[in-house]
Amino acid sequence: MDDAGTIAPGDVLVRDGRIAAVGRDAAAMLGGEPPDERFDATGMLVLPGLVQAHLHLCQTLFRGIAEHADLMPWLRERIWPLEHAHTAASAAASARLGLAELLAAGVTCVNDMGTVRHTDAIGEVLETTGVRAVFGKALMDQGVGVPAGMLESSRAALDEVRALVRRFHGAGGGRLQVSLAPRFILSCSEESWEGVKAVSSELGLLVHTHLAEGPTEGREVEQAVGRSAARYFEHHGVLGPRFIGAHGVWLEADELQALQRANAALAHCPNANLKLGSGLAHVRAWIDHDLRRGLGCDGAACNNRLDPFLEMGSAGAISRVKDSARPLAAREVVALATCEGARALGLADRIGRLQVGLDADVIAVDVSGPHHGPEPEHDPYAALVYAARGADVALTMVAGRVLYRERAWTTLDPKAAVADARAERRGLLRRLGLAS
């Protein structure tokens, strides 16, 4: 996924967590010495690890119990009460379950928005699991339908962000970064946005929020602040190179221009948008404005699959509906999930390409199965976008450390993760007074 569009047979050599060589001559760099570890990727496509540009690990426990609703009632009647019922143990179980699924599907980096509480529990799971992550606590100091226990003052929330930074920012050998995660316009006061802007500038933290996701949300935002979310962010100086907005479905031309001027980024979440009935993002228009951009599954409560290959296929198909004359090429879609996603998160100098010197976040995708036949090598990008599925991933490596290999996890026990998640979900539903 380099700028030249290189596709070549050969080897990838990893030393000290970084890519040391790529291509036919990589093995020669060993000088005849056997490698400490070898993975035979014959019949596979080897590519950079997949980047999840927008995710809610805290919602994995809610899979299948927040169905068939539009965005705003879905949040108010289901998601926020469910998040409010989380304990540290249930939040951690939710994160472990989600990461077990994501690692097996080739995801090496996540941009996660937690709930208001228990972000440290999720951070500890991210640290021990070995994944690369940008993550933050949701900031919510107002909002219709928000449980009282989820509301906290801007000062208290930002104090906790600072504590998270002290604990996790740069942890895991630099794998972890803490972000500011104001949920969206309707849940954050002007004081909160001013605080977010100040702390982001002071500490250099990414600002991760929701933006122009659904039509009802858009109307409520207009009624609340007198303008759209993107125009509000521009007016208040929130947009900038550390800003990433999830969804961006309902953006007008002048709003895209504002995002372009600010060098802001967007995250495309096609299947979440489809399932919630939110609409179809016009990613070709994002590219026309040279916006930094990535691809995300969102959460298991609204998708319900954390499969980045499903997102790639949907992104490609939706682009034909939105702009039939200029649909996304398969390579552009793979870029959304790799090098462009890294650029959206400000990580292009570390990940997103198979390039000497970058961190060794690498995956291998088996394309030998019948659903890839007869010749996946004819167009590897099309094979990845339209034929591959998460179950085809044979190897997931982060910073040179193998986290998943041929149906075996090295830092997670998937059976324990499922059992723990089931028990914690039953407890969560009991706290809400709901039957399991």
Side-chain angles (χ1 to χ4, degrees), residues 175-231:
R175 286 185 294 104
L176 302 188
Q177 295 185 22
V178 174
S179 68
L180 289 151
R183 192 146 204 155
F184 66 155
I185 288 283
L186 297 173
S187 67
C188 296
S189 65
E190 186 170 330
E191 176 189 1
S192 184
W193 290 110
E194 289 298 320
V196 163
K197 183 173 66 172
V199 173
S200 174
S201 178
E202 176 192 350
L203 300 179
L205 304 183
L206 192 80
V207 176
H208 175 204
T209 189
H210 294 88
L211 175 65
E213 182 174 357
T216 303
E217 169 217 2
R219 289 191 291 271
E220 289 194 29
V221 168
E222 290 269 5
Q223 293 167 1
V225 299
R227 62 187 83 196
S228 70
R231 297 182 183 105

Side-chain angles (χ1 to χ4, degrees), residues 257-277:
Q257 291 163 8
L259 290 162
Q260 180 185 38
R261 286 191 297 271
N263 191 25
L266 294 172
H268 183 29
C269 304
N271 284 291
N273 293 337
L274 288 169
K275 191 161 180 287
L276 288 173

Side-chain angles (χ1 to χ4, degrees), residues 81-127:
L82 286 164
E83 287 188 12
H84 184 232
H86 259 314
T87 63
S90 65
S94 190
R96 277 192 293 270
L97 182 65
L99 288 169
E101 183 178 1
L102 290 161
L103 289 173
V107 172
T108 57
C109 179
V110 301
N111 180 34
D112 183 65
M113 179 184 290
T115 186
V116 173
R117 314 289 181 195
H118 315 304
T119 311
D120 54 343
I122 292 175
E124 288 169 4
V125 172
L126 292 167
E127 185 173 21

Side-chain angles (χ1 to χ4, degrees), residues 13 30 33-38:
L13 178 64
L30 290 170
E33 294 294 324
D36 294 334
E37 186 175 2
R38 178 183 176 90

